[in-house]
mmCIF file of all heavy atoms in Angstrom:
data_model
loop_
_atom_site.group_PDB
_atom_site.id
_atom_site.type_symbol
_atom_site.label_atom_id
_atom_site.label_comp_id
_atom_site.label_asym_id
_atom_site.label_seq_id
_atom_site.Cartn_x
_atom_site.Cartn_y
_atom_site.Cartn_z
ATOM 1 N N TYR A 110 -164.762 -111.093 91.237
ATOM 2 C CA TYR A 110 -163.635 -111.247 92.149
ATOM 3 C C TYR A 110 -164.140 -111.116 93.584
ATOM 4 O O TYR A 110 -164.908 -110.195 93.892
ATOM 5 C CB TYR A 110 -162.567 -110.182 91.899
ATOM 6 C CG TYR A 110 -162.117 -110.078 90.457
ATOM 7 C CD1 TYR A 110 -162.523 -109.014 89.653
ATOM 8 C CD2 TYR A 110 -161.296 -111.048 89.893
ATOM 9 C CE1 TYR A 110 -162.127 -108.924 88.328
ATOM 10 C CE2 TYR A 110 -160.890 -110.964 88.569
ATOM 11 C CZ TYR A 110 -161.311 -109.901 87.790
ATOM 12 O OH TYR A 110 -160.918 -109.821 86.478
ATOM 13 N N PHE A 111 -163.707 -112.028 94.450
ATOM 14 C CA PHE A 111 -164.018 -111.929 95.875
ATOM 15 C C PHE A 111 -162.694 -111.989 96.619
ATOM 16 O O PHE A 111 -162.015 -113.017 96.621
ATOM 17 C CB PHE A 111 -164.945 -113.055 96.327
ATOM 18 C CG PHE A 111 -165.467 -112.861 97.722
ATOM 19 C CD1 PHE A 111 -166.622 -112.117 97.955
ATOM 20 C CD2 PHE A 111 -164.799 -113.385 98.820
ATOM 21 C CE1 PHE A 111 -167.105 -111.919 99.243
ATOM 22 C CE2 PHE A 111 -165.270 -113.197 100.110
ATOM 23 C CZ PHE A 111 -166.425 -112.452 100.322
ATOM 24 N N VAL A 112 -162.298 -110.848 97.221
ATOM 25 C CA VAL A 112 -160.963 -110.729 97.812
ATOM 26 C C VAL A 112 -160.893 -111.519 99.114
ATOM 27 O O VAL A 112 -161.749 -111.374 99.990
ATOM 28 C CB VAL A 112 -160.599 -109.255 98.051
ATOM 29 C CG1 VAL A 112 -159.221 -109.149 98.695
ATOM 30 C CG2 VAL A 112 -160.643 -108.468 96.729
ATOM 31 N N ASP A 127 -160.965 -99.402 96.191
ATOM 32 C CA ASP A 127 -160.009 -100.082 97.064
ATOM 33 C C ASP A 127 -160.406 -101.543 97.241
ATOM 34 O O ASP A 127 -161.597 -101.883 97.297
ATOM 35 C CB ASP A 127 -159.949 -99.399 98.433
ATOM 36 C CG ASP A 127 -159.341 -98.008 98.367
ATOM 37 O OD1 ASP A 127 -158.467 -97.782 97.498
ATOM 38 O OD2 ASP A 127 -159.733 -97.147 99.184
ATOM 39 N N LEU A 128 -159.400 -102.392 97.346
ATOM 40 C CA LEU A 128 -159.609 -103.813 97.556
ATOM 41 C C LEU A 128 -159.033 -104.254 98.885
ATOM 42 O O LEU A 128 -157.917 -103.876 99.248
ATOM 43 C CB LEU A 128 -158.951 -104.622 96.433
ATOM 44 C CG LEU A 128 -159.440 -104.368 95.002
ATOM 45 C CD1 LEU A 128 -158.609 -105.179 94.011
ATOM 46 C CD2 LEU A 128 -160.923 -104.706 94.862
ATOM 47 N N SER A 129 -159.790 -105.038 99.614
ATOM 48 C CA SER A 129 -159.347 -105.650 100.861
ATOM 49 C C SER A 129 -160.259 -106.845 101.116
ATOM 50 O O SER A 129 -161.164 -107.129 100.328
ATOM 51 C CB SER A 129 -159.390 -104.650 102.019
ATOM 52 O OG SER A 129 -160.687 -104.121 102.182
ATOM 53 N N ALA A 130 -160.042 -107.538 102.210
ATOM 54 C CA ALA A 130 -160.785 -108.770 102.469
ATOM 55 C C ALA A 130 -162.291 -108.552 102.403
ATOM 56 O O ALA A 130 -162.820 -107.595 102.976
ATOM 57 C CB ALA A 130 -160.396 -109.327 103.825
ATOM 58 N N ASN A 131 -162.969 -109.424 101.659
ATOM 59 C CA ASN A 131 -164.431 -109.460 101.528
ATOM 60 C C ASN A 131 -165.000 -108.373 100.614
ATOM 61 O O ASN A 131 -166.213 -108.150 100.609
ATOM 62 C CB ASN A 131 -165.116 -109.415 102.889
ATOM 63 C CG ASN A 131 -164.760 -110.602 103.754
ATOM 64 O OD1 ASN A 131 -164.553 -111.708 103.250
ATOM 65 N ND2 ASN A 131 -164.668 -110.388 105.057
ATOM 66 N N ILE A 132 -164.147 -107.715 99.834
ATOM 67 C CA ILE A 132 -164.638 -106.835 98.775
ATOM 68 C C ILE A 132 -164.934 -107.690 97.547
ATOM 69 O O ILE A 132 -164.131 -108.535 97.149
ATOM 70 C CB ILE A 132 -163.599 -105.751 98.414
ATOM 71 C CG1 ILE A 132 -163.318 -104.852 99.610
ATOM 72 C CG2 ILE A 132 -164.081 -104.924 97.221
ATOM 73 C CD1 ILE A 132 -164.502 -104.010 100.058
ATOM 74 N N ALA A 133 -166.094 -107.472 96.953
ATOM 75 C CA ALA A 133 -166.513 -108.215 95.764
ATOM 76 C C ALA A 133 -166.623 -107.252 94.591
ATOM 77 O O ALA A 133 -167.132 -106.139 94.738
ATOM 78 C CB ALA A 133 -167.843 -108.911 96.002
ATOM 79 N N VAL A 134 -166.156 -107.698 93.427
ATOM 80 C CA VAL A 134 -166.175 -106.876 92.213
ATOM 81 C C VAL A 134 -166.805 -107.678 91.085
ATOM 82 O O VAL A 134 -166.413 -108.822 90.832
ATOM 83 C CB VAL A 134 -164.752 -106.448 91.796
ATOM 84 C CG1 VAL A 134 -164.797 -105.592 90.533
ATOM 85 C CG2 VAL A 134 -164.041 -105.714 92.928
ATOM 86 N N VAL A 173 -168.906 -102.702 92.640
ATOM 87 C CA VAL A 173 -168.091 -103.086 93.794
ATOM 88 C C VAL A 173 -168.967 -103.082 95.038
ATOM 89 O O VAL A 173 -169.701 -102.123 95.290
ATOM 90 C CB VAL A 173 -166.907 -102.109 93.983
ATOM 91 C CG1 VAL A 173 -166.047 -102.536 95.180
ATOM 92 C CG2 VAL A 173 -166.061 -102.046 92.714
ATOM 93 N N LYS A 174 -168.891 -104.153 95.816
ATOM 94 C CA LYS A 174 -169.631 -104.233 97.071
ATOM 95 C C LYS A 174 -168.701 -104.692 98.193
ATOM 96 O O LYS A 174 -167.847 -105.556 97.992
ATOM 97 C CB LYS A 174 -170.820 -105.183 96.953
ATOM 98 C CG LYS A 174 -171.918 -104.694 96.017
ATOM 99 C CD LYS A 174 -173.160 -105.560 96.119
ATOM 100 C CE LYS A 174 -174.259 -105.084 95.195
ATOM 101 N NZ LYS A 174 -175.498 -105.920 95.330
ATOM 102 N N ASP A 175 -168.910 -104.103 99.367
ATOM 103 C CA ASP A 175 -168.163 -104.485 100.559
ATOM 104 C C ASP A 175 -169.039 -105.449 101.354
ATOM 105 O O ASP A 175 -169.995 -105.044 102.007
ATOM 106 C CB ASP A 175 -167.825 -103.243 101.384
ATOM 107 C CG ASP A 175 -166.972 -103.556 102.606
ATOM 108 O OD1 ASP A 175 -166.797 -104.759 102.927
ATOM 109 O OD2 ASP A 175 -166.501 -102.598 103.249
ATOM 110 N N GLU A 176 -168.709 -106.723 101.303
ATOM 111 C CA GLU A 176 -169.519 -107.733 101.998
ATOM 112 C C GLU A 176 -169.553 -107.479 103.492
ATOM 113 O O GLU A 176 -170.547 -107.820 104.163
ATOM 114 C CB GLU A 176 -168.961 -109.127 101.688
ATOM 115 C CG GLU A 176 -169.818 -110.285 102.155
ATOM 116 C CD GLU A 176 -169.454 -110.782 103.549
ATOM 117 O OE1 GLU A 176 -168.431 -110.308 104.106
ATOM 118 O OE2 GLU A 176 -170.182 -111.634 104.086
ATOM 119 N N ASN A 177 -168.497 -106.858 104.030
ATOM 120 C CA ASN A 177 -168.472 -106.561 105.465
ATOM 121 C C ASN A 177 -169.616 -105.643 105.880
ATOM 122 O O ASN A 177 -170.084 -105.699 107.021
ATOM 123 C CB ASN A 177 -167.146 -105.879 105.844
ATOM 124 C CG ASN A 177 -165.938 -106.712 105.495
ATOM 125 O OD1 ASN A 177 -165.711 -107.771 106.053
ATOM 126 N ND2 ASN A 177 -165.146 -106.227 104.540
#
Side-chain angles (χ1 to χ4, degrees):
Y110 308 106
F111 189 87
V112 179
D127 292 329
L128 300 176
S129 57
N131 298 326
I132 298 294
V134 180
V173 181
K174 293 189 180 182
D175 183 350
E176 189 268 353
N177 302 294

